[in-house]
Amino acid sequence: MFDFVRRRNFYYLLSLLVLLPGVISLIIPPALKAGIEFTSGTTFTARFQNEVEEDELRSALGDLGHPEARVQRTGENKFLVRTSELKGTTEAPPLGPAPEGERDILEAALVERFGSMVDADGEVVDRFIEYASVSATVSREIGRNAAIAVGAASVAILLYISWAFRSIPNPFRCGIAATIATLHDVVLVVGAYSLLGKLFDMEVNTMFITGLLTVIGFSVHDTIVVFDRIRENNARYPDLDLPTSVNNSILQTLGRSINTSFTVVLAVVALLLIGGVTIRPFLVVMLIGVITGTYSSIFVASQILVTWEERDIPRLFRRIAFRRAPAPSEG
């Protein structure tokens, strides 16, 4: 029978090595490449009827007063563009025609330069296909609410698991272990996204926050499955010590955890291959989070319970203190 528990220090070291690149990336500014929801600005998708090169569109936007524009080709003559916030596009007077906003001016100028713009069906519309604009005030509010949501979810997990496993000794240990495992997953996902932002210009947006909260839920769900089996084994075999009970519980739930995660990963990969650009941040977070959530439920959360029970950390400090203590002088 494989002994997962005995190798717990190796799993901690492995987690540290996996987390390290992302943490270093987060330390190097900018920690994350923020989308317009967090920094304000405008994004739009433009699709042209005629052949247009990415550099030509970037140069045209520069000539039109948007040298900061970021242009990314997403299909045949189709581009995703991000600029500073375009003003006057959502305000309309109570009477009379709406004044021409920056969006209207930009659309007209691009049509004049590159020819007609078309929609997803190829029909001439001379308008952007997708358009979103967020002000600085709204972006600050979104950022604050996202931080509150992640923090509230962590506290709720701690309280719920401590209550749900109140029938076993020291139930708060389960809550703290699950919270640490969840933070492990959050740091790994955010660190990975920091690297992806620096390497591939992937931005953090509200879909990223949605994916992160989903990952937190998935991670806790997987951890609860293992903890629940530990509770059952403790009730069925009261004389069994905790390390053995934890190891047996991991072995009994291992197949279920891997099979569940594997089917979710297959679905997410399929959506990544055929899904749209809009939900890609959510899918990338899900893909990383599902894998690390399964790992942490087996190799982090459960192992913390054993480390706590076996007093590994005080023993480690005593060992370090003993090595630093001066040797007694002879004579």
Side-chain angles (χ1 to χ4, degrees):
M1 183 172 67
F2 191 81
D3 192 348
F4 283 97
V5 170
R6 190 167 63 84
R7 297 172 177 82
R8 56 186 178 277
N9 291 332
F10 169 76
Y11 306 139
Y12 297 147
L13 179 62
L14 181 62
S15 289
L16 185 64
L17 292 176
V18 173
L19 288 171
L20 195 59
V23 172
I24 292 174
S25 179
L26 286 169
I27 293 172
I28 300 172
L32 293 166
K33 202 172 187 64
I36 64 166
E37 291 94 336
F38 300 102
T39 61
S40 77
T42 297
T43 60
F44 58 82
T45 301
R47 184 182 180 192
F48 297 93
Q49 195 171 39
N50 301 324
E51 185 72 26
V52 177
E53 296 298 328
E54 192 172 319
D55 290 339
E56 292 176 340
L57 180 57
R58 187 177 294 110
S59 174
L61 288 167
D63 295 341
L64 294 169
H66 296 283
E68 82 290 352
R70 296 211 301 265
V71 181
Q72 179 184 358
R73 180 184 287 274
T74 58
E76 186 179 359
N77 298 322
K78 184 179 176 184
F79 302 91
L80 176 65
V81 181
R82 176 179 171 179
T83 68
S84 56
E85 183 186 0
L86 300 181
K87 304 290 186 183
T89 54
T90 58
E91 299 172 358
L95 296 173
E100 195 175 46
E102 284 190 68
R103 171 181 176 172
D104 304 304
I105 296 171
L106 195 58
E107 286 173 335
L110 291 177
V111 168
E112 183 180 357
R113 185 150 178 174
F114 297 114
S116 297
M117 285 192 284
V118 296
D119 61 13
D121 298 323
E123 299 292 330
V124 175
V125 292
D126 288 339
R127 301 279 290 175
F128 299 137
I129 300 174
E130 296 170 348
Y131 182 88
S133 188
V134 179
S135 68
T137 303
V138 173
S139 67
R140 282 194 296 271
E141 187 175 342
I142 292 173
R144 186 183 65 247
N145 290 343
I148 292 173
V150 174
S154 300
V155 174
I157 290 166
L158 173 64
L159 296 176
Y160 171 72
I161 293 186
S162 298
W163 175 81
F165 294 93
R166 62 190 181 282
S167 61
I168 65 175
N170 302 315
F172 66 95
R173 292 184 182 180
C174 295
I176 293 176
T179 304
I180 292 174
T182 302
L183 292 176
H184 164 278
D185 299 341
V186 169
V187 171
L188 197 149
V189 170
V190 174
Y193 227 83
S194 175
L195 286 171
L196 291 172
K198 287 183 172 65
L199 296 174
F200 303 108
D201 283 337
M202 290 197 71
E203 295 181 344
V204 172
N205 55 20
T206 51
M207 293 301 289
F208 170 84
I209 300 299
T210 305
L212 197 60
L213 291 172
T214 307
V215 164
I216 289 174
F218 183 88
S219 173
V220 173
H221 168 265
D222 226 23
T223 301
I224 286 176
V225 170
V226 181
F227 283 3
D228 199 46
R229 186 55 60 93
I230 295 171
R231 177 175 56 182
E232 291 176 5
N233 286 333
N234 282 348
R236 190 175 302 170
Y237 311 105
D239 295 332
L240 209 60
D241 61 87
L242 183 66
T244 306
S245 177
V246 169
N247 198 63
N248 291 344
S249 302
I250 291 173
L251 288 169
Q252 291 163 6
T253 57
L254 186 64
R256 177 196 178 284
S257 296
I258 292 176
N259 288 335
T260 303
S261 301
F262 184 64
T263 52
V264 175
V265 166
L266 287 180
V268 172
V269 170
L271 285 170
L272 272 173
L273 294 176
I274 63 174
V277 176
T278 309
I279 61 170
R280 189 169 295 165
F282 174 80
L283 297 173
V284 171
V285 172
M286 281 294 294
L287 183 63
I288 300 171
V290 167
I291 295 172
T292 186
T294 305
Y295 171 85
S296 69
S297 67
I298 300 170
F299 300 106
V300 178
S302 306
Q303 309 297 338
I304 289 174
L305 292 180
V306 179
T307 294
W308 204 327
E309 180 70 17
E310 296 293 296
R311 299 178 180 275
D312 287 352
I313 295 177
R315 189 163 58 243
L316 176 64
F317 280 122
R318 283 198 300 272
R319 190 178 301 172
I320 294 172
F322 177 76
R323 287 182 178 176
R324 287 184 176 179
S329 57
E330 297 181 358

